[in-house]
Amino acid sequence: MTHSTQWAPTSFGTRARAYDRLRPGYPLEALAQALGESAEGLRGEALDVGCGTGKLATALDRLGHQVTGLEPDPRMAAVAAAKGLAVDVAAFEEWDPAERRFDVVACGQAWHWLRPGERVDRAAYCLRPGGRILLAWNFSALPPAVTADLTLVYTTVLPQGLPTGEGGRQTLAESDLDEYVRELHAHGFPHVRRAVVPWQATLTSRQWCRLLATESRHLALPKASRRRLWHEMTRCLDTEHDGRVPVTYRCVALGASSGE
């Protein structure tokens, strides 16, 4: 697994509204399970690190938390703020909580952008005694026939493959989360609860391309290559799959506590 250094992505903001419309949200069931049965008693203030357009913050709000978002990209933060969420525009590594402490420090789909070890220590610093770290991701899968056809499109249009994307990050895999659990254990959070909740969505071929256009490796493509990829992908999906893309998601959430 390739780690990032202290660095925050900036490419996502160019697609902030599409990101908000098309990126998946987080099932409340997964978040509640990860926080555990005593989550009712913990409901209070939550900090959402790298909140983006407010996907996870909105879910935490629905669970009853008072949420402060933290987002380095002002374009993403503006979309979250338009929903009524409180957002500080700052990078987690540089943000000063002053005297503020939180019952939950959460991070959705952005933990890998932060420096290993230091991210846990900073999250712990922001927690009240007995507070929890909540990490959440959505991993997607397509039907085998769709995957096979789209793989052929990628091979034809991009014979050298996709670039690694901003910051040199490769695609995050669900197996990487085991390393995150070990990191949490090593930095004072021995109790980690994992919740997995599958869910499904169906996108049109154009929605699928717009969703991919919010992903860092695709954003790193030259505009001409990206345009050709969307054209060939849309043609394939419309011709072979009636323009429908069934997506199976697995929301995986980790809830970590010190046990104090």
Side-chain angles (χ1 to χ4, degrees), residues 15-28:
R15 297 289 190 273
R17 297 194 181 280
Y19 189 106
D20 190 55
R21 287 195 308 271
L22 296 168
R23 283 285 184 115
Y26 299 92
L28 300 188

Side-chain angles (χ1 to χ4, degrees), residues 99-119:
E99 301 301 317
R100 298 187 65 184
R101 296 296 181 269
F102 299 86
D103 301 292
V104 174
V105 173
C107 185
Q109 217 77 28
W111 194 241
H112 58 288
W113 297 119
L114 305 172
R115 181 177 292 142
E118 180 180 320
R119 56 194 169 193

Side-chain angles (χ1 to χ4, degrees), residues 48-71:
D48 182 7
V49 176
C51 71
T53 62
K55 293 285 187 177
L56 182 57
T58 299
L60 289 168
D61 178 76
R62 291 176 61 191
L63 282 175
H65 294 279
Q66 181 180 343
V67 186
T68 297
L70 196 58
E71 171 54 45

Side-chain angles (χ1 to χ4, degrees), residues 171-193:
T171 303
L172 184 72
E174 190 171 338
S175 59
D176 291 335
L177 306 196
D178 292 336
E179 185 171 336
Y180 295 156
V181 172
R182 290 190 291 271
E183 179 189 349
L184 289 163
H185 288 168
H187 287 262
F189 290 84
H191 306 289
V192 180
R193 182 189 298 265

Side-chain angles (χ1 to χ4, degrees), residues 31-43 132 193:
L31 307 183
Q33 285 182 18
L35 288 172
E37 294 180 354
S38 62
E40 284 279 351
L42 285 174
R43 289 181 183 176
R132 303 188 182 193
R193 182 189 298 265

Side-chain angles (χ1 to χ4, degrees), residues 102-223:
F102 299 86
D103 301 292
V104 174
V105 173
C107 185
Q109 217 77 28
W111 194 241
H112 58 288
W113 297 119
L114 305 172
R115 181 177 292 142
E118 180 180 320
R119 56 194 169 193
V120 181
D121 293 340
R122 285 195 60 81
Y125 178 76
C126 293
L127 283 173
R128 293 190 176 111
R132 303 188 182 193
I133 295 175
L134 175 67
L135 309 177
W137 299 265
N138 280 297
F139 296 95
S140 63
L142 303 180
V146 176
T147 297
D149 287 342
L150 292 185
T151 298
L152 182 59
V153 171
Y154 277 108
T155 301
T156 302
V157 177
L158 303 172
Q160 303 302 318
L162 282 166
T164 56
E166 192 172 5
R169 277 293 312 181
Q170 300 285 348
T171 303
L172 184 72
E174 190 171 338
S175 59
D176 291 335
L177 306 196
D178 292 336
E179 185 171 336
Y180 295 156
V181 172
R182 290 190 291 271
E183 179 189 349
L184 289 163
H185 288 168
H187 287 262
F189 290 84
H191 306 289
V192 180
R193 182 189 298 265
R194 187 188 303 238
V196 180
V197 173
W199 61 286
Q200 295 181 324
T202 299
L203 304 179
T204 67
S205 56
R206 284 155 185 80
Q207 286 174 328
W208 177 250
C209 290
R210 290 177 188 138
L211 173 61
L212 292 181
T214 70
E215 194 266 336
S216 62
R217 295 172 305 160
H218 291 88
L219 284 168
L221 286 169
K223 185 178 292 186

